[in-house]
């Protein structure tokens, strides 16, 4: 494989060199992968998106190298820190090998959908690669990867041999990709057959579809796999409410685990239609065939706060992020507490609650605290079964990457 063509090499410009503030230097030395625009003290010239930027410390010694992004407040995303190192073809091959190796032994043939590359925490800042059976989805969160896309696709094909790779772009870079990124667009097929059929995969033996072309994230919430498995083990004989159900992930596990009934509650009719199809797909499983399945299209906050809901023996609350920015943090903590309180009011005797948060701005302790407080305020006796964090294929190595938390409570 050719080493990626850096714009600076193509134009024979001197290497892009940056000096950063002392505080940013400390952050980088402690393993943080971002250099913010405000931390750049000196830069030898203007840089292009995707160029390799080399960061030096106060004594002019090599500190790190990373992807330069002039259009983002995260000005450099670190690829390598420590001793100077050429980021050549062999380096990229080794990086992919290490990432693949990290997942050795995690999944067997009953799970063909999982995350292969999880951005910064795997050493690929702003890049995600998910596998859905033979279809891979490469999602970019920074335009800085666009000049290297062909090389990355070649690298992935050589090592992992997917049948097809689909490109997904976060909303904030879609225009840049179309204008400057050689006409790249969200949902584009980067290699493999051009048929846009439904992509079906297995998770712990349960069959799901992923809308890899347009769906949220890369088409499925792979990050909730471990919590779903837990719910499957707790659901036997229970009437289950899956609030914010998306395509019925938790519901299918509950059904397979012997739930009496499952109610999917979501605002989106598309999500509920996918949940129906996922139930169909698994109807050969006698437990799924026996489980009563209903869908409710409604605002889950209102529905749970109102008087319509009947009691349930197990309730899953997995709302979208309630704090997209720091300023929303306090409001989000209150909203998590209210939501948990309204869920608890719907629980039968011996009812179980799983409450989740995917807001990176709300810490695990703040979230768990809000749910525990709501449980205490309910006046009911409860025990905490467990709290959960990131799944092993979604590692979180720094604060901003640490978003997912779950808490299981059992009520008397
Ligand atoms: N638990 C799911 C993922 C949930 S994603 C899984 O394991 O796959 C969040 C879901 O909440 C999305 O499907 C979105 O459509 C839905 N949603 C967002 N706002 C909502 C609201 N106010 N009421 C109900 N559903 C909502």
């Amino acid at each position: 494989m050719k080493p990626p063509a850096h714009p600076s090499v193509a134009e024979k410009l001197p290497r892009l060199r940056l000096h950063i503030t002392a505080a940013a230097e400390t952050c980088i030395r402690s393993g943080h992968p971002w250099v913010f625009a405000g931390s750049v003290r000196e830069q030898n010239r203007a840089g292009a998106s995707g160029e390799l930027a080399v960061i030096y410390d106060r004594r002019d010694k090599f500190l790190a190298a990373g992807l330069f992004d002039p259009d983002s407040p995260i000005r450099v995303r670190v690829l390598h820190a420590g001793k100077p190192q050429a980021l050549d073809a062999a380096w990229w091959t080794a990086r992919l090998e290490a990432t693949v190796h990290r997942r050795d032994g995690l999944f067997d043939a009953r799970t063909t959908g999982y995350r292969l590359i999880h951005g910064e925490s795997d050493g690929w800042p702003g890049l995600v690669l998910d596998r859905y059976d033979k279809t891979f989805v490469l999602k970019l969160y920074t335009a800085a990867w666009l000049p290297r896309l062909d090389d990355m696709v070649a690298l992935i094909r050589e090592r992992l041999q997917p049948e097809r790779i689909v490109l997904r772009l976060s909303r904030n870079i879609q225009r840049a990709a179309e204008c400057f990124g050689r006409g790249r667009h969200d949902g584009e097929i980067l290699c493999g057959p051009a048929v846009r059929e439904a992509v079906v995969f297995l998770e712990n033996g349960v069959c799901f579809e992923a809308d890899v072309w347009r769906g949220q994230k890369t088409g499925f919430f792979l990050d909730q796999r471990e919590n779903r498995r837990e719910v499957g083990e707790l659901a036997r004989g229970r009437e289950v409410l899956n609030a914010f159900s998306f395509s019925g992930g938790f519901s299918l596990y509950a059904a397979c685990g012997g739930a009496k009934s499952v109610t999917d509650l979501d605002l989106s009719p598309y999500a509920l239609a996918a949940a129906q199809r996922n139930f169909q797909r698994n109807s050969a499983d006698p437990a799924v065939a026996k489980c009563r399945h209903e869908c409710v299209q409604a605002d889950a906050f209102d529905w749970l706060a109102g008087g319509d809901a009947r009691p349930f023996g197990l309730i899953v609350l997995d709302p979208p992020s309630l704090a997209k920015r720091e300023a929303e943090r306090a409001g989000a903590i209150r909203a998590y507490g209210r939501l948990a309180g309204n869920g608890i009011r719907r629980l039968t005797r011996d009812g179980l609650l799983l409450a989740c948060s995917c807001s990176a701005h709300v810490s695990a302790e703040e979230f768990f605290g809000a749910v525990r407080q709501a449980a205490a305020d309910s006046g009911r006796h409860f025990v905490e079964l467990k709290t959960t964090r990131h799944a092993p294929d979604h590692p979180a190595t720094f604060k901003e990457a640490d978003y997912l938390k779950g808490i299981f409570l059992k009520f008397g």
Side-chain angles (χ1 to χ4, degrees), residues 340-389:
N342 287 332
I344 293 163
R345 284 199 297 125
R346 306 288 166 205
L347 280 176
T348 54
R349 255 184 82 82
D350 298 328
L352 295 164
L353 178 78
L354 164 59
C356 301
S357 160
C358 61
S359 306
H361 290 289
V362 174
S363 75
E365 281 321 310
E366 286 166 335
F367 173 67
F368 297 151
V371 177
R372 287 176 189 133
Q373 189 59 52
D377 291 346
S378 75
R380 293 175 62 171
H381 173 72
F382 72 97
V383 285
E384 188 171 314
L385 300 182
K386 65 174 347 186
T387 57
T388 64
R389 306 304 304 277

Side-chain angles (χ1 to χ4, degrees), residues 316-338:
V316 177
L317 302 172
D318 183 25
S321 172
L322 300 184
K324 295 260 164 58
R325 54 189 81 86
E326 181 58 28
E328 294 169 349
R329 189 170 63 96
I333 297 169
R334 285 194 297 275
Y336 283 123
R338 267 197 312 274

Side-chain angles (χ1 to χ4, degrees), residues 102-123:
R102 221 165 282 138
R103 285 150 179 82
D104 280 353
L106 287 183
F107 308 107
D108 61 19
R110 297 174 74 249
T111 298
T112 61
Y114 52 87
R115 182 149 292 187
L116 279 159
I117 300 179
H118 185 53
E120 279 79 352
S121 298
D122 264 324

Side-chain angles (χ1 to χ4, degrees), residues 121-143:
S121 298
D122 264 324
W124 302 76
L127 183 151
V128 153
L129 182 68
D130 283 344
R131 174 188 170 196
Y132 295 103
D133 196 22
K134 297 190 183 89
T135 295
F136 286 18
V137 184
L138 181 66
K139 181 148 184 181
L140 303 182
Y141 291 87
T142 163

Side-chain angles (χ1 to χ4, degrees), residues 52 85 132 152 154 179 212 265 324 348 373 393 399 405:
L52 195 74
Q85 171 102 48
Y132 295 103
M152 292 305 125
C179 299
V212 299
L265 171 61
K324 295 260 164 58
T348 54
Q373 189 59 52
D393 58 334
K399 184 174 166 280
K405 43 259 173 201

